[in-house]
Amino acid sequence: DFSPYHAIIKPNVVYDAELVSFPENMRIAYRSKRSDETVLLRFFYPDSAGINLFVGNQKKPDVGLKIGREPTFGDAHGAHAIEANKFYVLLKGSEAAFNGQAYII
């Protein structure tokens, strides 16, 4: 189950979050129709658990979205990187994002 936590955020900004531990399941949605609106989330967490990222209704992780550096605003929706105790993920606006079909799990 996913518990909803809503936040109003400004587009084209980098946000940092520190977690006590990474949840086993987490869904992130950025509901914007505008493709020029992007948000980069940087999570810091104490354990070094592996993370699999799924976009929308994918059944397998898209390994093409895993990059070896911190994502930039020019990368694709769902681009992500994992470093020691850090997880970065990029969210972009789109019609699918607005309709809740491009969430990140």
Side-chain angles (χ1 to χ4, degrees):
D1 287 338
F2 297 99
S3 298
Y5 295 94
H6 300 277
I8 297 173
I9 57 175
K10 182 178 174 181
N12 305 319
V13 173
V14 176
Y15 288 93
D16 294 324
E18 189 170 340
L19 304 173
V20 174
S21 67
F22 225 90
E24 187 174 323
N25 293 302
M26 182 169 67
R27 181 182 294 178
I28 303 169
Y30 179 56
R31 296 201 174 213
S32 172
K33 286 185 179 183
R34 296 184 51 177
S35 61
D36 62 331
E37 292 185 347
T38 304
V39 174
L40 176 59
L41 303 177
R42 299 188 302 193
F43 293 98
F44 302 89
Y45 57 100
D47 57 355
S48 58
I51 297 172
N52 290 316
L53 184 134
F54 301 85
V55 177
N57 293 322
Q58 289 179 330
K59 301 296 182 202
K60 289 198 263 184
D62 184 345
V63 295
L65 291 173
K66 188 173 184 178
I67 55 180
R69 58 173 171 71
E70 183 175 333
T72 63
F73 289 142
D75 288 320
H77 174 74
H80 63 283
I82 300 168
E83 294 178 1
N85 300 37
K86 297 177 195 163
F87 173 63
Y88 310 102
V89 64
L90 188 73
L91 306 172
K92 289 190 168 234
S94 68
E95 194 67 37
F98 182 76
N99 294 327
Q101 299 165 335
Y103 49 81
I104 302 294
I105 296 180

